[in-house]
């Protein structure tokens, strides 16, 4: 290697589930830009374009050094013409004109604000924008009928859009542990989602709940929710039965115990006192006595209950990242002729379910090296 034109050339496997993606990212300027375009595409019902930008950003996240020259990107997977144009613009001009104009666009700003309301998706936001609603004041002034989730989302807008810290996630974890221990001793609570991947903040806190004896988890969610409600911990909750039967997870057929997954979308009321009990020494919120500010905050929390027979699949499916999950399913389908869901792994060639009691076994069934949660931050 003595060539004077030499630049570092990277080699990266094409599926995110073949790669180790830590939270250390040397290319945040580029990945933030591509993520913003992905978000804009997703909010505009252009899912394909969204995935393409997410895949491109994920490739840049694993590069060991900041990209300084387009030649370093030769041979890398998932970098389409459009993503390469954005990267080139940033390397040459310090910013991407497309990203900057998207950020400034009234439509993007309105979509962001409106979908920031819990319970509001891209479709609803789009409809409101077509009716002339671009911000929260206009939403409040309009005579739109809001559902229960959206009313809670509007009421707790600022809290819900403020990132959740690890200390707050731990405090919520203690409350959930107490609830679960009270209604079903022996049941187990596992932190999932971004916090399991080692993130220091998140948009919500996610928990998976199971019991080591198959069947004992049946009917558990309503009991947990009742306990939490009786203690005043819930500002909002909606419990849904498993939607597996209606999902588009592929040809994997549910077996008899597969209608048991239950999920609860909720908004917790977290007292500053609870946070201190969980080990945080200093509170940044003013106390009620200090200045009339409320001594609590609203936090989005997702709870999932799984039977122990599906626990490993649920754990893998709910740890994320969303792109990592998508890539696992794409790998399973395209490279292994298998169907992976949060419930099961089905081999379409052998026409059989592949059992697993750990995430390691699922990676092995898929012919992949095991990737720990902290390296699934694609
Ligand atoms: N998930 C899912 N079905 C949904 C929503 C989420 O299976 N309807 C999964 C996602 O694929 C992800 C996990 O649940 O693996 C957590 O999702 P989410 O809380 O949205 O994302 P996080 O990775 O936890 O990121 P954040 O910190 O923003 O919460
Ligand atoms: Mn939303
Ligand atoms: Mn989460
Ligand atoms: Mn979640």
């Amino acid at each position: 290697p003595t060539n004077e034109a030499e630049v570092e050339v990277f080699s990266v496997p094409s599926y995110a589930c073949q790669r180790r993606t830590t939270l250390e990212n040397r290319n945040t300027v580029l990945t933030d830009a591509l993520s913003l375009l992905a978000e804009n595409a997703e909010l505009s019902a252009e899912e394909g374009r969204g995935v393409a930008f997410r895949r491109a950003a994920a490739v840049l996240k694993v590069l060991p050094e900041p990209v300084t020259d387009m030649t370093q990107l030769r041979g890398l997977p998932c970098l389409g013409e459009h993503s390469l144009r954005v990267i080139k613009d940033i390397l040459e001009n310090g910013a991407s004109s497309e990203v900057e104009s998207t950020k400034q666009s009234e439509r993007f700003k309105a979509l962001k604000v409106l979908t920031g309301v819990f319970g509001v998706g891209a479709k609803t936001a789009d409809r409101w924008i077509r009716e002339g609603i671009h911000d929260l004041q206009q939403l409040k002034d309009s005579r739109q009928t809001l559902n229960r989730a959206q009313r809670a989302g509007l009421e707790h807008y600022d809290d819900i859009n403020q990132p959740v810290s690890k200390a707050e996630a731990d405090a919520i974890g203690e409350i959930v542990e107490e609830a679960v221990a009270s209604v079903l001793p022996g049941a187990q609570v596992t932190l999932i989602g971004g916090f399991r991947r080692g993130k220091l903040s998140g948009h919500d806190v996610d928990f998976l709940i199971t019991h080591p004896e198959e069947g004992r988890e049946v009917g558990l969610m309503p009991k947990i929710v009742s306990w939490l409600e009786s203690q005043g911990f819930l500002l909002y909750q909606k419990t849904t039965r498993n939607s597996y039967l209606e999902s588009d997870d592929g040809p994997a057929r549910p077996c008899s115990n597969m209608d048991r997954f239950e999920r609860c979308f909720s908004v917790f009321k977290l007292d500053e006192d609870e946070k201190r009990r969980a080990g945080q020494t200093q509170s940044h919120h003013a106390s009620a006595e200090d200045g009339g500010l409320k001594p609590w905050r609203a936090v989005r929390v997702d709870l999932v209950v799984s039977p122990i027979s599906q626990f490993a699949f649920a754990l893998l499916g709910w740890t994320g990242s969303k792109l990592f999950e998508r890539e696992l399913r794409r790998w399973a389908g395209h490279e292994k002729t298998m169907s992976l869901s949060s419930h099961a792994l089905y081999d379409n060639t052998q026409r059989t379910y592949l059992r697993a009691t750990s995430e390691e076994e699922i990676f092995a069934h898929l012919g992949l090296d095991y990737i720990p949660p902290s390296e699934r931050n694609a």
Side-chain angles (χ1 to χ4, degrees):
T2 48
N3 191 330
E4 37 94 28
E6 180 193 0
V7 286
E8 177 120 24
V9 176
F10 311 114
S11 161
V12 174
S14 59
Y15 288 85
C17 54
Q18 297 173 290
R19 312 191 293 250
R20 297 177 183 277
T21 313
T22 63
L23 290 166
E24 208 176 334
N25 174 359
R26 265 99 171 176
N27 286 284
T28 51
V29 172
L30 298 177
T31 59
D32 285 353
L34 293 169
S35 300
L36 184 131
L37 295 179
E39 189 180 14
N40 186 50
E42 288 157 1
L43 290 175
S44 308
E46 296 173 18
E47 211 201 335
R49 259 158 49 90
V51 176
F53 286 129
R54 296 269 175 220
R55 284 203 192 119
V59 165
L60 301 182
K61 285 180 190 172
V62 297
L63 301 184
E65 285 172 29
V67 174
T68 53
D69 191 300
M70 291 301 285
T71 58
Q72 291 170 293
L73 304 177
R74 272 185 210 147
L76 288 183
C78 308
L79 297 178
E81 198 189 314
H82 197 155
S83 294
L84 286 171
R85 198 181 338 129
V86 172
I87 296 167
K88 187 162 183 273
D89 210 5
I90 296 171
L91 293 184
E92 288 177 359
N93 309 311
S96 148
S97 52
E98 185 181 1
V99 171
E100 294 312 306
S101 67
T102 302
K103 269 190 210 167
Q104 302 303 318
S105 88
E106 292 307 319
R107 183 180 159 75
F108 180 70
K109 285 193 274 189
L111 282 168
K112 284 278 283 183
V113 169
L114 297 175
T115 59
V117 177
F118 171 59
V120 177
K123 260 169 94 178
T124 303
D126 178 69
R127 178 163 50 80
W128 286 347
I129 290 169
R130 282 189 276 109
E131 292 174 28
I133 298 167
H134 290 80
D135 59 37
L136 299 184
Q137 194 54 53
Q138 289 171 341
L139 177 59
K140 286 172 190 163
D141 293 344
S142 78
R143 303 186 38 171
Q144 293 292 334
T145 327
L146 302 182
N147 63 31
R148 213 163 51 82
Q150 294 162 348
R151 289 200 303 272
L154 202 50
E155 185 176 353
H156 304 294
Y157 186 87
D158 290 338
D159 276 1
I160 290 175
N161 284 282
Q162 184 195 321
V164 182
S165 68
K166 182 65 167 75
E168 288 166 336
D170 291 339
I172 300 277
E174 291 196 5
I175 295 166
V176 174
E177 296 260 7
E178 194 180 343
V180 169
S182 304
V183 300
L184 182 63
Q188 295 162 2
V189 178
T190 306
L191 184 65
I192 50 177
F195 286 109
R196 180 163 185 252
R197 302 196 307 275
K199 282 178 62 180
L200 297 175
S201 73
H203 96 282
D204 68 358
V205 197
D206 309 281
F207 296 97
L208 177 60
I209 299 153
T210 191
H211 190 283
E213 269 174 73
E214 184 85 4
R216 294 287 300 278
E217 82 292 345
V218 175
L220 180 53
M221 190 71 87
K223 290 180 192 158
I224 296 171
V225 169
S226 295
W227 189 93
L228 290 168
E229 235 152 22
S230 72
Q231 303 284 315
F233 284 124
L234 293 183
L235 295 163
Y236 168 88
Q237 69 84 19
K238 185 183 167 84
T239 303
T240 53
R241 286 191 58 139
N242 164 35
S243 56
Y244 185 59
L245 292 165
E246 306 108 64
S247 79
D248 58 359
D249 271 347
R253 307 251 48 99
C255 59
S256 60
N257 61 354
M258 277 194 179
D259 57 349
R260 288 181 188 171
F261 261 48
E262 286 183 310
R263 185 170 174 185
C264 178
F265 304 90
S266 72
V267 179
F268 266 56
K269 179 178 182 176
L270 179 62
D271 284 330
E272 295 301 323
D273 286 349
E274 294 290 337
K275 223 159 101 184
R276 271 193 297 277
R277 273 213 292 151
Q280 173 149 322
T281 48
Q282 207 65 43
S283 163
H284 295 289
H285 279 229
S287 74
E289 302 86 65
D290 284 350
L293 283 176
K294 64 186 175 56
W296 56 271
R297 70 161 289 189
V299 179
R300 274 272 299 113
V301 176
D302 286 337
L303 305 174
V304 191
V305 170
S306 131
I308 191 75
S309 61
Q310 298 171 26
F311 180 77
F313 296 99
L315 184 61
L316 179 59
W318 284 86
T319 295
S321 68
K322 285 196 183 86
L323 183 72
F324 192 91
E325 303 293 342
R326 180 184 272 275
E327 293 279 276
L328 271 177
R329 294 193 297 269
R330 189 166 69 96
W331 169 272
H334 292 197
E335 307 296 329
K336 298 287 157 181
T337 332
M338 293 178 184
S339 303
L340 175 68
S341 75
S342 295
H343 300 266
L345 178 61
Y346 185 75
D347 186 322
N348 294 293
T349 313
Q350 296 184 24
R351 298 192 179 180
T352 171
Y353 283 98
L354 302 173
R355 307 263 152 221
T357 56
S358 67
E359 291 181 312
E360 283 85 345
E361 284 177 76
I362 303 172
F363 280 89
H365 282 318
L366 290 169
L368 290 167
D369 285 344
Y370 177 67
I371 310 288
S374 62
E375 296 175 344
R376 297 179 202 162
N377 286 292

